[in-house]
Amino acid sequence: YGIRDLILNPSRDEHSTNNLLISSTSTPLTHNKTEKNSNTTMKLAVAALLATSAAAFQAPTMTFSLGKKKATPAKKKAVKAPVSSGASPSADAWANSVESKALPFARAPATLDGTMLGDFGFDPLGFSTVPVGPWFTGIQGRNGQIGNLNWYREAELIHGRIAQVAVVGFIAPGLFGTLPGNEWTGVDAYSNLNPLEAFSQVPGLAILQIFLFMSYLEVRRINIIKEEGENYMPGDLRIGQGEGRWNPFGLDYSPEAYEEKRLQELKHCRLAMIGVFGLWAQAQASGVGVTEQIGAALTTPDYYAKAGYFLPEGI
């Protein structure tokens, strides 16, 4: 207390200060014990307060990086539960539609989930959302054994293969020539290079042969579907590599290469269906074959072949 009083009252004279120091040192022993206990209690309280404050305080963390930032893990998108409209299978498929890979500005129905070979979400008219009609009810393969989407894939492959043959039929006669005629069929029965006009000029028996051959392939295809049921692979005519198949070219691809060839065939089928429509439309508009049209485009015109055509005569 004497030191405290001295600091707070520095104006005291030396005599009073000495008296104060003397009086402070002559404090009873009980007073010293009380003061010591009080100081110890205060120190413990202050120490506890500081410990509590340090525990509650959390220093801000800072990270430094040179170059590119570390990619933060992407948040997983919540999987939406399928929406059921209750109206029809087609309405449910469009209600759960996803983004189309083939047409980024459009949507693809939920039936095209990308698991089927060649599925790029292209179905703007929604064919894949409509169940196969009742005309297949009598076939065993339709009775719960082969899915609707497999039936559409089957139709796509068959139409695509026919379109590929048709493209060859449009182009090959103009490049390699036509079949010879005779007195019975007619000398010029096969000479027309326009397929639309040639169809009405060929003999009826020739068309009948094509029809019978196509009928045989269709009956064979249906029998394979009925035999294999749910294990049937769309477009499988048991031709090519594999046990028990007709493989005249000795094809032997690895599983990865075989899947790639299947995808290539599918792409060629789709391209051929678009191409044969263009060939038909152009033949209908021009009245001549495709080779004649291309040949005329590559022929140098007479006015361009004349030397000095762009200069006045006599120069």
Side-chain angles (χ1 to χ4, degrees):
Y1 292 102
I3 296 174
R4 185 188 61 182
D5 197 7
L6 178 62
I7 295 174
L8 295 178
N9 302 283
S11 58
R12 289 179 179 271
D13 56 0
E14 183 179 356
H15 179 73
S16 59
T17 301
N18 292 334
N19 293 335
L20 184 61
L21 289 174
I22 294 171
S23 62
S24 62
T25 57
S26 59
T27 308
L29 182 60
T30 55
H31 179 76
N32 290 338
K33 290 182 179 181
T34 305
E35 182 181 0
K36 186 176 181 180
N37 294 336
S38 177
N39 291 338
T40 303
T41 304
M42 181 170 292
K43 288 179 181 180
L44 293 176
V46 171
L49 180 62
L50 292 176
T52 306
S53 301
F57 177 76
Q58 183 178 1
T61 57
M62 299 180 65
T63 56
F64 299 91
S65 61
L66 298 176
K68 297 182 179 180
K69 295 182 178 179
K70 293 183 179 179
T72 55
K75 296 182 179 179
K76 295 183 179 180
K77 295 183 179 179
V79 178
K80 296 182 179 179
V83 179
S84 177
S85 62
S88 65
S90 179
D92 292 341
W94 284 114
N96 297 279
S97 62
V98 296
E99 294 182 0
S100 172
K101 294 181 181 179
L103 301 174
F105 55 85
R107 305 284 294 179
T111 48
L112 301 181
D113 55 1
T115 57
M116 179 172 280
L117 182 70
D119 178 10
F120 299 101
F122 181 81
D123 190 14
L125 300 181
F127 287 117
S128 63
T129 66
V130 181
V132 177
W135 50 84
F136 283 109
T137 304
I139 299 180
Q140 294 179 6
R142 180 68 184 94
N143 296 333
Q145 295 185 3
I146 181 171
N148 294 318
L149 202 58
N150 284 332
W151 275 111
Y152 287 114
R153 172 52 56 83
E154 176 81 5
E156 182 182 25
L157 286 172
I158 298 302
H159 284 83
R161 291 168 180 173
I162 295 174
Q164 291 182 79
V165 176
V167 169
V168 175
F170 266 84
I171 299 175
L175 296 177
F176 306 105
T178 59
L179 298 175
N182 51 42
E183 296 181 357
W184 182 74
T185 60
V187 178
D188 298 331
Y190 305 103
S191 61
N192 199 328
L193 297 179
N194 185 353
L196 303 182
E197 296 179 358
F199 186 78
S200 60
Q201 293 182 8
V202 297
L205 290 178
I207 297 177
L208 180 61
Q209 291 176 3
I210 298 174
F211 175 78
L212 292 177
F213 179 68
M214 294 174 62
S215 300
Y216 163 75
L217 292 179
E218 284 297 293
V219 172
R220 183 172 183 271
R221 182 173 66 90
I222 293 175
N223 288 333
I224 294 175
I225 294 174
K226 293 169 64 177
E227 180 180 344
E228 297 190 6
E230 61 180 3
N231 297 322
Y232 175 73
M233 183 172 62
D236 183 16
L237 296 177
R238 293 178 179 174
I239 299 176
Q241 72 178 51
E243 185 179 357
R245 297 170 179 267
W246 185 50
N247 188 9
F249 300 103
L251 303 178
D252 187 17
Y253 296 108
S254 63
E256 294 78 10
Y258 185 72
E259 289 299 309
E260 181 65 24
K261 294 300 179 182
R262 289 182 59 207
L263 181 60
Q264 291 177 4
E265 182 198 17
L266 186 60
K267 291 181 177 180
H268 282 85
C269 287
R270 293 169 177 174
L271 182 61
M273 286 188 284
I274 298 175
V276 75
F277 176 77
L279 293 172
W280 170 84
Q282 190 64 21
Q284 184 75 21
S286 63
V288 296
V290 59
T291 53
E292 294 176 309
Q293 298 178 53
I294 296 177
L298 300 177
T299 303
T300 303
D302 293 338
Y303 64 84
Y304 185 77
K306 294 179 180 179
Y309 175 79
F310 296 103
L311 299 175
E313 294 183 2
I315 298 179

